[in-house]
Amino acid sequence: MFRSAFNKLSSLNLLKSAEFRSMSQLQGKLSGKVAVVTASTEGIGFAIAKRLANDGASVVISSRKKDKVEKAVSEIKSITDQVAGIPCHVGKQEDRKLLLDFAVAKYGGIDILVSNAAVNPVMCQVLDTPEEAWDKIFDTNVKATFLLTQAAVPLIEKRGGGAIVYVSSIAAYKPMEVIGAYSVSKTTLLGLTKAVAAQCTSMNIRVNCLCPGIIDTKFSSSLTSADSSNEILNQTIPMRRVGKPDECAGIVSFLCSDDASYVTGESFVVAGGYYSRL
């Protein structure tokens, strides 16, 4: 009789535990949060948007092309209905305003900003970079990130605080010769992370930075092509493979959650052991 009662109690506890896990998964660690992710219709940005949605956030995705936005929204809707999108060229002030206004109108505010948009119009060493290419790289990768942050911070503060994540690159630590100016722009984001984090602590806003290594995306296709892939794998990446976009998403979700409540001003490398720093 005792064993029977014990077994019933154990079964009940297991059932309750399963129900608790189910509820926890359903709610997600980002439940009730609103996230805006730029350049999020493919590659790393899309993987981040999908993961934030999977973890319970309402997500606003964006990119320059309307058709890409619609396709990405449709894909994420298989996870949750709490997703919407709007075309946005982050280099245009009116587009940045429309993006943030859309998030507020749709979901009532903003708790999370992930700035992922970046360009690299030239493949050359840093001193060979044409002025117009240098301007374009810094206007998109740095200036637009700063201006979007400047506009988003009051909205995040109004919600009682939140999180900002910049997507930099492993090239921020060790500039890649063929993408010299791009590397410098990504190094600049490390400094921006530190500066903005310091100012935002009193607003209960944490600011951190993701530094992906060589990830299998359209953006990095020139580095992962058949001609160069073996050399990259054998000489620079200890794990002997390029990364997948989804492998960059989990740490962003962590940084946006309460699990990272004492983490700000930091940069996190996801690069398969690729050299970054001591």
Side-chain angles (χ1 to χ4, degrees):
M1 182 179 293
F2 174 79
R3 181 177 295 276
S4 176
F6 177 79
N7 288 338
K8 287 181 180 180
L9 181 60
S10 297
S11 298
L12 182 62
N13 287 337
L14 286 172
L15 181 61
K16 287 181 177 180
S17 178
E19 289 175 348
F20 177 80
R21 287 196 302 271
S22 178
M23 286 294 292
S24 176
Q25 291 167 357
L26 182 64
Q27 293 177 348
K29 63 184 177 184
L30 298 178
S31 180
K33 305 296 184 183
V34 178
V36 173
V37 188
T38 65
S40 50
T41 56
E42 58 187 16
I44 293 173
F46 178 74
I48 291 171
K50 184 172 64 174
R51 178 58 182 265
L52 298 184
N54 190 57
D55 286 342
S58 299
V59 179
V60 174
I61 64 174
S62 66
S63 74
R64 291 181 296 173
K65 303 293 185 180
K66 182 180 178 181
D67 59 333
K68 289 186 176 182
V69 171
E70 291 174 347
K71 180 182 178 183
V73 168
S74 178
E75 289 186 42
I76 295 179
K77 276 189 178 292
S78 64
I79 299 172
T80 174
D81 287 334
Q82 292 298 102
V83 59
I86 182 173
C88 176
H89 187 313
V90 296
K92 298 179 179 179
Q93 191 275 337
E94 61 271 25
D95 277 22
R96 294 192 298 268
K97 185 177 187 303
L98 283 172
L99 173 63
L100 299 181
D101 287 349
F102 177 80
V104 172
K106 183 72 176 177
Y107 295 120
I110 299 170
D111 304 284
I112 296 165
L113 171 66
V114 180
S115 180
N116 176 58
V119 297
N120 181 54
V122 292
M123 299 287 287
C124 63
Q125 297 184 66
V126 64
L127 293 180
D128 297 328
T129 307
E131 182 178 357
E132 61 272 18
W134 181 274
D135 288 344
K136 184 173 183 178
I137 288 168
F138 274 80
D139 280 350
T140 301
N141 301 5
V142 180
K143 183 178 178 181
T145 298
F146 164 72
L147 292 174
L148 187 61
T149 301
Q150 198 174 49
V153 160
L155 300 175
I156 300 173
E157 183 183 19
K158 188 176 181 180
R159 297 269 285 189
I164 296 172
V165 177
Y166 299 141
V167 179
S168 179
S169 168
I170 191 69
Y173 294 102
K174 186 179 181 181
M176 295 183 180
E177 188 173 347
V178 295
I179 50 173
Y182 173 87
S183 299
V184 175
S185 75
K186 291 300 187 175
T187 304
T188 306
L189 288 182
L190 303 184
L192 185 65
T193 298
K194 291 288 188 183
V196 177
Q199 185 172 354
C200 284
T201 53
S202 62
M203 307 172 201
N204 195 34
I205 299 173
R206 296 177 297 99
V207 185
N208 292 289
C209 191
L210 169 70
C211 297
I214 300 171
I215 308 298
D216 188 13
T217 65
K218 185 186 299 183
F219 189 86
S220 63
S221 59
S222 60
L223 297 174
T224 58
S225 64
D227 292 339
S228 59
S229 182
N230 287 337
E231 182 180 352
I232 291 172
L233 294 179
N234 292 331
Q235 296 184 17
T236 61
I237 306 176
M239 289 185 72
R240 298 293 189 269
R241 67 175 179 85
V242 297
K244 301 174 183 177
D246 288 347
E247 293 178 299
C248 296
I251 194 166
V252 175
S253 181
F254 161 74
L255 291 172
C256 294
S257 75
D258 289 340
D259 290 339
S261 59
Y262 198 50
V263 180
T264 193
E266 301 295 342
S267 299
F268 296 83
V269 174
V270 179
Y274 189 103
Y275 171 82
S276 58
R277 58 183 185 264
L278 292 177

